């Protein structure tokens, strides 16, 4: 593919949606703090175990395997999940998990995405501490995109009209990334 994401932002900015962006900013800040706290907690838990690098890798692999079985979007960087959300393919995200056995409901999708977002912080931390390669940049974009999608979906349910999911996903990505990496200017430029 020529580009990672093909966003098509709305042509006009709806000033009535400013409260939504403020809410998304607050949620992004809270989530970024949650991510940092979970990362520190996981690192501390692995340190107090006093186990070898091989044992850390085995334990981390077992934890991640279980998480990925229940919440498949946790596997990998998650960019395909964001693409599917933007392109309206929500059911394909749930299709590989145990949630597929329930009839599709939009509230169930939001619950699923909320769980994915919460456990992404834990899965990322376990990956890094157990010896896997990676960092927080990709997971912060993934989690921010999901948060933006969830806020946009909830706003639509509440009654806001013409909420741009693409715009909310982009803003969520920038908000969470700036909070986790402590780099607000970098997030704005990206």
């Amino acid at each position: 593919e020529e580009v990672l994401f093909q966003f098509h932002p709305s042509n006009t900015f709806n000033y009535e949606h400013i409260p939504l962006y403020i809410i998304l900013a607050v949620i992004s800040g809270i989530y970024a703090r949650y991510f940092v706290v979970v990362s520190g907690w996981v690192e501390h838990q692995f340190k107090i175990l006093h186990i070898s690098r091989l044992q850390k890798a085995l334990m981390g692999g077992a934890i991640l395997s279980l998480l990925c079985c229940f919440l498949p979007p946790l596997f990998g960087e998650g960019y395909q999940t964001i693409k599917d959300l933007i392109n309206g393919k929500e059911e394909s995200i749930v299709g590989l998990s145990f949630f597929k056995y329930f009839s599709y409901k939009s509230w169930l999708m939001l619950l699923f995405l909320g769980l994915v977002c919460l456990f992404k912080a834990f899965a990322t931390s376990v990956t890094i501490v157990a010896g896997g390669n990676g960092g927080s940049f990709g997971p912060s974009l993934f989690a921010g995109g999901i948060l933006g999608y969830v806020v946009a979906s909830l706003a639509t349910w509440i009654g806001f009209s013409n909420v741009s999911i693409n715009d909310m996903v982009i803003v969520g990505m920038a908000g969470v990334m700036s909070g986790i990496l402590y780099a607000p200017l970098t997030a704005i430029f990206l």
Side-chain angles (χ1 to χ4, degrees):
E1 297 175 57
E2 67 277 357
V3 240
L4 189 58
F5 297 114
Q6 297 249 342
F7 288 108
H8 303 287
S10 58
N11 295 332
T12 58
F13 182 77
N14 189 343
Y15 289 97
E16 294 174 0
H17 294 162
I18 288 178
L20 296 178
Y21 290 102
I22 293 171
I23 290 169
L24 180 57
V26 170
I27 292 171
S28 295
I30 291 169
Y31 180 80
R33 182 65 187 150
Y34 164 78
F35 193 100
V36 170
V37 168
V38 167
S39 294
W41 181 82
V42 168
E43 184 176 352
H44 176 72
Q45 296 304 314
F46 270 78
K47 276 185 182 177
I48 63 174
L49 290 176
H50 300 294
I51 56 179
S52 71
R53 288 175 54 186
L54 178 60
Q55 290 170 321
K56 277 185 189 179
L58 291 172
M59 180 184 289
I63 291 169
L64 292 171
S65 295
L66 286 173
L67 285 174
C68 290
C69 283
F70 290 109
L71 301 167
L74 293 176
F75 182 73
E77 74 281 334
Y79 295 143
Q80 186 60 46
T81 302
I82 300 296
K83 286 181 186 180
D84 288 344
L85 288 174
I86 291 170
N87 294 325
K89 299 178 184 175
E90 295 91 355
E91 291 182 32
S92 68
I93 297 168
V94 178
L96 298 173
S97 73
F98 71 93
F99 279 80
K100 73 178 179 184
Y101 298 111
F102 300 101
S103 62
Y104 180 80
K105 304 259 191 274
S106 51
W107 65 266
L108 186 65
M109 180 65 184
L110 293 182
L111 173 66
F112 178 76
L113 290 174
L115 289 172
V116 166
C117 202
L118 286 175
F119 282 103
K120 185 63 173 180
F122 184 73
T124 300
S125 304
V126 168
T127 300
I128 294 169
V129 173
N133 67 1
S136 298
F137 180 77
S140 69
L141 293 178
F142 172 75
I146 288 189
L147 283 177
Y149 178 85
V150 168
V151 169
S153 297
L154 289 173
T156 303
W157 277 4
I158 291 171
F160 283 88
S161 59
N162 300 324
V163 177
S164 173
I165 289 177
N166 286 350
D167 292 353
M168 294 296 276
V169 166
I170 292 170
V171 171
M173 289 171 130
V176 171
M177 189 202 70
S178 68
I180 290 175
L181 302 179
Y182 302 114
L185 287 176
T186 303
I188 290 169
F189 293 132
L190 286 176

